[in-house]
Amino acid sequence: MFHASLKTLAAMLAENKLSSRELCQTWLERIGSLNPRLNAFITVDPEKTLAEAALADARRAAGNAGPLTGVPIAHKDIFCTEGWLTTCGSKMLGNFVAPYDAHVIQRFKAAAMPSLGKTNMDEFAMGSSNETSWFGAVKNPWNPDYVPGGSSGGAAACVAARMAPAATGTDTGGSIRQPAALCGITGLKPTYGLVSRFGMIAFASSLDQAGPMAKSAEDCALLLNVMTGFDPNDSTSLERAKEDYTRDLEQPLTGLRIGLPREFFAEGLNSEVAAAVEAAVDELRKLGATPVEVSLPNSQLAIPVYYVLAPAEASSNLSRFDGVRYGYRAPEYTDLNDMYCKTRAQGFGSEVKRRILIGSYVLSHGYYDAYYLQAQKLRRLIANDFTEAFKTCDVILGPTAPGTAFKIGEKTGDPVEMYLNDLYTIPANLAGLPGMSLPCGFDGKGLPIGLQLVGNYFSEAKMLNIAHQYQRATDWHTRAPEGL
Amino acid sequence: MSISPDDVKRIARLARIEISDAEAMTSQTQLNAIFDLIAAMQAVDTTGVSPMAHAQDVSQRLREDVVTETDRHAVFQNIAPAVEDSLYLVPKVIE
């Protein structure tokens, strides 16, 4: 059961082979036995999960079941969930019980999909290894000495370890795709604006986007059907006709042009990752696709641009954490300003403070044009590169991350080294394009390798089609860590 | 360019984050490494390029000016660090 697809689990429920309550109970037991080793969840609350499962069962009994009614899912602890502790991986929100549901949570509730709990993450989604969480590092299920990636590290680890059938994640610079790659699962960051950000604790609002993390492209397509849709509570939510993201899964890939950006296969890419991605290209060629070389000449500027724009937006977004309305407040202070300063010094971890400082600096008087404005202009050039590339190809393919998982503690002392992990994922966020990662092999140490697809705006169905056809021809996505 | 420990303390003050001298020293080294990384941006001539603030070229929606929220202040204030008579309590600001 733990390896079953969402479709299979949904069919078991539809045929009344078991109830959602029984299904959730089974998953909760597995979480209970594995979480002490992996630390993938921050909060598990069996009583709440089973109450939601009972609602799902009642809905089925009443004849109102939807396609995934009763199938449980784990939520990243960045989504406000009414009545649940919602920490965003931070001491600042260590006591925050959300008074309302994020739009994404509302949608899963409307689909009657019970929550198995809240998954661990880098503090305020700032990190690429899940080591910045105030609740401790998550272990990679393939080898507990290694990181699961981040920031949706708990989500990726729990799906890889089969502690949940699927999970939600968010991606600002690669936070769905990079951990999906490092844990050997499939994850998709949709086109910016498709999934509402309402109730999703903000990091960098012009880049943040939620998406599904699961065992296969097919599962991601089903979840995307639940997650997407217009929400008047998010001013950047797009008003578009509802799509069925499973509609093209079975289409053949004949005639598909796959763009390989030469910059993504250049210096800095681990040779085992390069070989696995090239083998995947060969596989797609067998399925009828044609590789074409493309260029994203400004992509090497993505990291510098991102580390101006994301901290700038973060420094503004995180100013709300002042110890007045919710969350942590320092126990001792002299006056109002001292209360702010001590609350923020004690409530935020070092990476979050670092980014707030960078953001405050680049937005401060005298530096705005040189940093913030210049970064926004370069963002335009990076986005234009994709427009140009999509004139000669239908989808862009490359590695998700420059290497496989690294050891816990290996990069914590050097922020710049850590930032370079998101070299290939950040450009899609800056342009607002959809990106996904899917497993395509293993390195010599037995750690998973991920390949990335970046599609044109609103081409999720096409990307899922490509990924699904690849997954029908290969079995990398069915591999799970042994001994768990 | 590089920033000094005094710069770090100035930014920390702007960001309302208390920082010790020792922390300012450590932060300075790490921030300078990050600013070295960011400096690559300055080599590109962006004359005539329009800044991109957002991924989608959409304008702000307007809605009817009607009440859409119910009064849930008790629920929201229930999670505040200090509340009295429906007011958030903070240290005295005006003598």
Side-chain angles (χ1 to χ4, degrees):
Chain A
M1 177 200 288
F2 296 119
H3 300 287
S5 69
L6 296 188
K7 222 177 180 173
T8 305
L9 293 174
M12 288 163 78
L13 291 165
E15 290 159 18
N16 288 314
K17 286 185 179 158
L18 83 177
S19 66
S20 176
R21 245 186 105 81
E22 290 164 326
L23 186 63
C24 289
Q25 188 67 55
T26 313
W27 285 95
L28 287 168
E29 279 164 23
R30 186 164 167 88
I31 292 170
S33 78
L34 290 179
N35 203 46
R37 271 196 273 169
L38 298 175
N39 200 27
F41 283 85
I42 292 174
T43 303
V44 181
D45 189 332
E47 209 172 295
K48 283 200 180 69
T49 301
L50 294 175
E52 289 183 32
L55 285 176
D57 286 331
R59 240 179 81 174
R60 185 171 297 285
N64 296 327
L68 295 175
T69 292
V71 177
I73 184 161
H75 292 299
K76 186 175 181 178
D77 209 18
I78 198 167
F79 294 104
C80 285
T81 315
E82 191 171 349
W84 289 74
L85 194 63
T86 299
T87 70
C88 222
S90 181
K91 179 183 179 183
M92 186 61 93
L93 290 175
N95 63 357
F96 179 68
V97 176
Y100 69 104
D101 281 328
H103 184 81
V104 164
I105 301 291
Q106 292 170 15
R107 285 194 165 265
F108 280 106
K109 279 191 179 168
M113 294 179 67
S115 167
L116 286 171
K118 308 292 294 286
T119 62
N120 205 341
M121 56 182 285
D122 277 300
E123 183 178 8
F124 285 104
M126 298 177 191
S128 306
S129 68
N130 219 120
E131 292 168 289
T132 72
S133 169
W134 189 59
F135 298 88
V138 174
K139 315 282 167 51
N140 190 313
W142 292 91
N143 185 330
D145 295 334
Y146 287 75
V147 303
S151 68
S152 313
C158 88
V159 174
R162 308 298 191 242
M163 294 159 82
T168 52
T170 62
D171 191 313
T172 304
S175 283
I176 286 176
R177 292 161 287 159
Q178 186 257 13
L182 270 48
C183 287
I185 66 158
T186 305
L188 187 148
K189 178 201 93 72
T191 302
Y192 182 88
L194 278 188
V195 178
S196 167
R197 294 180 296 105
F198 178 72
M200 188 177 113
I201 297 167
F203 162 13
S205 305
S206 82
L207 305 165
D208 297 342
Q209 186 63 198
M213 301 175 77
K215 296 188 290 293
S216 68
E218 183 192 56
D219 286 359
C220 284
L222 289 165
L223 293 169
L224 204 54
N225 280 350
V226 177
M227 294 176 82
T228 54
F230 174 65
D231 173 19
N233 284 328
D234 172 0
S235 63
T236 60
S237 175
L238 297 168
E239 290 188 77
R240 307 183 76 246
K242 188 84 182 150
E243 282 186 53
D244 173 11
Y245 293 101
T246 65
R247 68 182 187 273
D248 289 334
L249 288 178
E250 304 303 335
Q251 294 296 317
L253 301 186
T254 322
L256 179 81
R257 297 165 303 166
I258 301 174
L260 306 175
R262 68 176 77 97
E263 294 81 4
F264 283 18
F265 294 87
E267 202 191 324
L269 178 62
N270 167 301
S271 59
E272 288 177 287
V273 174
V277 172
E278 279 156 20
V281 173
D282 285 339
E283 192 62 48
L284 290 166
R285 200 195 309 251
K286 280 189 226 160
L287 296 170
T290 312
V292 291
E293 194 181 278
V294 296
S295 178
L296 302 170
N298 292 294
S299 60
Q300 81 278 6
L301 291 165
I303 288 186
V305 168
Y306 179 85
Y307 280 99
V308 171
L309 297 181
E313 295 188 26
S315 69
S316 167
N317 274 327
L318 272 61
S319 64
R320 73 190 61 175
F321 300 105
D322 56 5
V324 175
R325 289 158 300 159
Y326 40 71
Y328 180 78
R329 177 187 285 198
E332 286 171 28
Y333 40 83
T334 54
D335 57 21
L336 182 63
N337 194 56
D338 192 48
M339 185 190 89
Y340 292 150
C341 293
K342 285 199 164 61
T343 292
R344 291 163 63 80
Q346 295 164 19
F348 291 136
S350 56
E351 179 61 28
V352 172
K353 286 186 214 173
R354 192 148 47 234
R355 297 203 196 184
I356 292 174
L357 294 179
I358 298 168
S360 303
Y361 185 74
V362 299
L363 291 176
S364 65
H365 181 70
Y367 300 98
Y368 183 91
D369 285 4
Y371 288 103
Y372 190 67
L373 200 62
Q374 175 73 351
Q376 285 192 318
K377 289 177 174 181
L378 292 168
R379 182 177 184 182
R380 171 84 58 199
L381 296 181
I382 290 165
N384 288 349
D385 282 355
F386 282 106
T387 310
E388 203 53 41
F390 284 125
K391 286 179 181 164
T392 58
C393 68
D394 304 305
V395 69
I396 285 168
L397 185 150
T400 305
T404 52
F406 43 93
K407 279 201 164 147
I408 292 175
E410 191 181 320
K411 297 185 180 180
T412 40
D414 186 351
V416 168
E417 175 84 356
M418 189 70 89
Y419 296 172
L420 295 175
N421 258 288
D422 298 330
L423 180 63
Y424 307 128
T425 47
I426 286 173
N429 298 84
L430 292 172
L433 293 165
M436 75 182 288
S437 179
L438 56 153
C440 69
F442 291 87
D443 71 0
K445 288 179 284 199
L447 295 166
I449 297 172
L451 82 81
Q452 181 181 213
L453 299 176
V454 177
N456 213 336
Y457 299 104
F458 311 114
S459 69
E460 285 81 2
K462 167 58 67 187
M463 295 160 69
L464 288 159
N465 162 229
I466 299 163
H468 179 64
Q469 291 302 312
Y470 175 77
Q471 292 184 333
R472 280 186 50 171
T474 58
D475 69 352
W476 302 115
H477 66 294
T478 66
R479 312 279 184 93
E482 282 169 24
L484 289 175
Chain B
M1 74 153 294
S2 73
I3 57 171
S4 67
D6 278 346
D7 290 329
V8 176
K9 290 171 95 169
R10 184 181 61 85
I11 314 164
R13 204 159 45 240
L14 287 176
R16 300 289 185 273
I17 296 175
E18 188 179 71
I19 191 166
S20 68
D21 289 347
E23 284 170 323
M25 290 296 283
T26 321
S27 296
Q28 180 218 0
T29 314
Q30 286 170 332
L31 291 175
N32 275 325
I34 296 164
F35 282 114
D36 283 347
L37 179 81
I38 293 172
M41 283 194 336
Q42 309 302 345
V44 186
D45 180 7
T46 52
T47 317
V49 178
S50 63
M52 178 174 168
H54 213 269
Q56 301 289 349
D57 211 5
V58 289
S59 52
Q60 290 289 318
R61 273 190 311 276
L62 296 175
R63 63 165 174 82
E64 292 299 308
D65 186 15
V66 291
V67 176
T68 56
E69 300 288 320
T70 50
D71 180 5
R72 296 186 67 210
H73 83 268
V75 177
F76 293 144
Q77 292 197 318
N78 195 30
I79 51 171
V83 174
E84 199 178 289
D85 298 334
S86 297
L87 301 169
Y88 292 103
L89 291 191
V90 295
K92 192 184 257 184
V93 183
I94 303 164
E95 290 301 327

